[in-house]
Amino acid sequence: MLPILNKEFILNQQDSDVHENYFTLPEKILQFGTGVLLRGLVDYLVDKANRQGRYEGRIVVVKSTPGDTREFAAQDNLFTTHIKGIHQGKLVDSSGVNPVISRVLQSNAEWPAVLAAARQPTVQTIISNTTEVGIQYVPEQIGATAPASFPGKLLAVLWERYQHLGGATGTGFVIVPTELVTNNGRLLRETILQLAAFNKMAAAFITWIQEDNHFCNSLVDRIVPGRPRNLPEIAQKVGYTDQLWIEVEPFLLWAIEGDAYIRSVLSFCEADDRMLITPDITPFREQKLRILNGGHTISVPLAYLLGCNTVYECMQDAYMGRFFREVILQEILPTITAACPTAAAFAQDVLDRFANPFIAHQLISITFQESTKMNARNARTFVRYYEQTGTLPAHMCLGFAAMLLFLRPVREENGKYYGRREAGEYLITDDNASQFAAYWQQYTTLPALVQQVCSDERLWEARLADIPGFTAQVATYLEAFMENGVKAVTEQWYQTK
């Protein structure tokens, strides 16, 4: 029977790089969330900084979701991080044990311990990842037990800190939410102040929240698939069992809005130049939205209709691999390079990430809310490209036509719409599905259909129909798809391109 990863086991390994002194470092961070993203990004960076002697601190983790913390306790909160993927065209495959978590506290069962952790002067940072819906205002009274919402818990923690340390200057926290919400720090601050007002809390306390606590907008980017399916096989290979083992891609980005003070508190940022503290994270949000997300959205309907099922399959396909590279590098990237100085390097990283053989990113899942994503991620790119070049982005026009075909329903059942590709039917998971179904049902000619769709101001933040030649080009591609099939058109398109 294989041993379990824990403190005794790892310290007895002759080749271990986890040393006894790591377990005596002071607690400096209160982390809301036990999820794989936090462990694969935040906890990874803190551990990396500790090993370089740049931070020397550990993390108290608060588990807010139901369930106990026995998995963590059984392993003395140790877990393995396995980095697998492609970086600069080369395969990366390495792993290491992370000892950065000191305790994992269940918020409901151990709320007094959570409050006690917040009283420690060494704890200066709060980090969270409670999903996008976590930062929402819930009117609730702050009392002796754990509040239900994350903002409620955070407000209770701030109140405990304020009371214990007397509200003195310099006793507040640097608070960094990592939820995937635009301006997440500002939104969390506004929610906390709204909840404090609902609870009629002291004016001096509210002033302390506003003036002595720093709520930072942040952007995180790292794919963390989590625990692998073949964990028993891995355990045999490494010689121990680890139920908390996580896999991560080589790429990471954590951009935080902040100044020199924020940098001094989050000094673990010095361990990795991919953790950035900057006055404005807008360029990083823009490059992620346009290149990574926009590259997915413009390419996936075409790839799915061609028969691909994962992003990795696309990168191995003769046509889609080329499509992904060209649409990103030749059409999307030039529209944001001036505003985003790091966009070119980011685009190359994105292509490496798409080619990661260890991540099976399903195309059908990426098509969730396809039309809404097309609007948010690509509508302005179409406009910018034409304004800059006076021509149309050919790949993007082809991808847009494929999106229209993907959203064409072949049947409706109980309010759900289904499309069809050669391999069979698929569910169209798009809130605008009925709208597109109506257009497909009512159209007289394909050019008329495209014109109507592109003129619908409910769908697009930029009037796509006003781009000279756009609807005609999209209609030409759409007609070709319907007459000759997606595969034949794509093959011919690349042969004549």
Side-chain angles (χ1 to χ4, degrees):
M1 187 174 179
L2 293 174
I4 297 173
L5 174 64
N6 56 29
K7 179 179 177 181
E8 180 182 5
F9 169 79
I10 200 66
L11 291 179
N12 286 332
Q13 300 304 300
Q14 291 184 349
D15 58 348
S16 172
D17 60 355
V18 177
H19 306 294
E20 179 73 42
N21 62 314
Y22 288 154
F23 297 93
T24 64
L25 296 176
E27 295 174 337
K28 290 187 177 182
I29 297 173
L30 187 62
Q31 174 178 300
F32 283 86
T34 59
V36 294
L37 176 64
L38 288 176
R39 288 194 283 132
L41 179 65
V42 177
D43 301 358
Y44 167 83
L45 289 168
V46 174
D47 178 52
K48 186 175 182 179
N50 284 342
R51 293 172 186 275
Q52 296 176 8
R54 296 176 182 269
Y55 188 65
E56 299 184 339
R58 300 188 83 197
I59 301 172
V60 184
V61 175
V62 179
K63 179 179 174 62
S64 297
T65 54
D68 57 43
T69 61
R70 282 182 290 183
E71 268 192 334
F72 285 91
Q75 298 186 185
D76 296 320
N77 307 308
L78 298 171
F79 63 93
T80 307
T81 302
H82 189 185
I83 304 173
K84 298 174 66 177
I86 305 294
H87 177 60
Q88 296 181 348
K90 297 181 180 179
L91 183 67
V92 176
D93 189 349
S94 63
S95 62
V97 173
N98 190 329
V100 79
I101 297 176
S102 59
R103 297 178 284 162
V104 178
L105 304 173
Q106 215 294 327
S107 61
N108 292 326
E110 300 176 279
W111 187 239
V114 174
L115 297 178
R119 293 196 294 266
Q120 298 180 94
T122 57
V123 176
Q124 294 181 288
T125 304
I126 294 176
I127 296 169
S128 69
N129 191 285
T130 55
T131 76
E132 295 90 315
V133 298
I135 307 180
Q136 288 190 359
Y137 174 68
V138 177
E140 59 180 328
Q141 293 294 332
I142 306 302
T145 59
S149 69
F150 165 61
K153 292 180 177 68
L154 179 56
L155 181 60
V157 162
L158 292 173
W159 176 240
E160 185 73 18
R161 176 84 158 198
Y162 174 82
Q163 289 182 298
H164 183 71
L165 298 180
T169 300
T171 58
F173 295 105
V174 170
I175 302 167
V176 189
T178 66
E179 288 80 359
L180 297 177
V181 179
T182 302
N183 295 322
N184 45 20
R186 185 174 68 188
L187 176 62
L188 181 58
R189 182 178 186 271
E190 292 171 352
T191 305
I192 291 295
L193 291 174
Q194 185 179 5
L195 188 56
F198 173 80
N199 279 269
K200 297 182 172 57
M201 298 180 115
F205 171 58
I206 293 176
T207 299
W208 178 80
I209 293 176
Q210 295 173 313
E211 297 182 357
D212 216 60
N213 291 270
H214 306 265
F215 293 79
C216 303
N217 294 327
S218 81
L219 173 71
V220 294
D221 190 6
R222 190 176 214 184
I223 298 174
V224 186
R227 185 160 58 188
R229 294 180 179 179
N230 62 332
L231 196 56
E233 178 184 329
I234 293 173
Q236 291 296 328
K237 183 177 179 180
V238 298
Y240 62 86
T241 61
D242 178 3
Q243 295 303 314
L244 300 173
W245 183 293
I246 60 171
E247 292 183 344
V248 303
E249 66 170 335
F251 177 87
L252 70 84
L253 173 68
W254 191 11
I256 301 170
E257 283 187 353
D259 53 17
Y261 174 75
I262 303 300
R263 178 176 289 276
S264 69
V265 175
L266 306 180
S267 60
F268 58 90
C269 69
E270 298 175 3
D272 196 308
D273 59 11
R274 298 170 297 176
M275 179 178 174
L276 309 163
I277 298 178
T278 177
D280 182 13
I281 64 171
T282 302
F284 301 101
R285 185 186 300 120
E286 179 75 357
Q287 71 183 21
K288 180 177 184 288
L289 178 71
R290 305 297 173 188
I291 297 174
L292 174 63
N293 303 134
H296 268 156
T297 299
I298 201 66
S299 308
V300 163
L302 177 63
Y304 190 73
L305 293 174
L306 276 171
C308 296
N309 292 301
T310 68
V311 174
Y312 176 70
E313 285 181 33
C314 293
M315 298 305 288
Q316 303 308 302
D317 182 84
Y319 300 115
M320 285 312 305
R322 185 176 170 185
F323 186 93
F324 266 102
R325 286 189 293 273
E326 292 177 354
V327 77
I328 287 174
L329 298 179
Q330 297 176 12
E331 296 180 0
I332 299 175
L333 178 60
T335 67
I336 66 167
T337 302
C340 306
T342 60
F346 180 78
Q348 293 295 339
D349 284 333
V350 164
L351 292 172
D352 277 346
R353 299 169 76 185
F354 288 172
N356 189 339
F358 303 111
I359 297 177
H361 199 168
Q362 298 294 321
L363 300 186
I364 196 64
S365 67
I366 298 174
T367 66
F368 177 73
Q369 306 295 6
E370 171 69 19
S371 64
T372 300
K373 290 175 179 176
M374 183 69 76
N375 175 48
R377 300 170 176 182
N378 292 315
R380 293 199 180 278
T381 303
F382 281 113
V383 175
R384 290 171 180 170
Y385 187 91
Y386 185 83
E387 289 175 344
Q388 290 179 11
T389 68
T391 62
L392 295 169
H395 295 76
M396 294 189 71
C397 289
L398 189 72
F400 192 91
M403 178 205 70
L404 294 179
L405 186 60
F406 176 85
L407 294 174
R408 180 194 184 198
V410 295
R411 69 180 178 94
E412 182 265 336
E413 184 178 321
N414 298 323
K416 295 182 178 181
Y417 295 88
Y418 296 83
R420 181 186 295 277
R421 64 172 182 166
E422 189 174 324
E425 290 188 355
Y426 54 85
L427 176 65
I428 300 173
T429 54
D430 193 304
D431 286 346
N432 295 317
S434 61
Q435 215 164 316
F436 281 91
Y439 280 128
W440 275 106
Q441 189 175 23
Q442 298 165 5
Y443 84 98
T444 53
T445 66
L446 287 175
L449 172 116
V450 175
Q451 181 70 28
Q452 285 183 308
V453 169
C454 293
S455 300
D456 191 337
E457 295 181 356
R458 296 169 298 177
L459 294 173
W460 316 113
E461 63 183 25
R463 276 187 58 86
L464 299 180
D466 290 346
I467 304 173
F470 178 73
T471 59
Q473 183 65 79
V474 171
T476 298
Y477 288 144
L478 187 56
E479 286 176 327
F481 284 150
M482 295 187 68
E483 290 176 7
N484 304 309
V486 175
K487 185 173 183 180
V489 172
T490 306
E491 289 176 352
Q492 184 180 15
W493 193 74
Y494 270 111
Q495 289 168 3
T496 58
K497 189 173 170 292

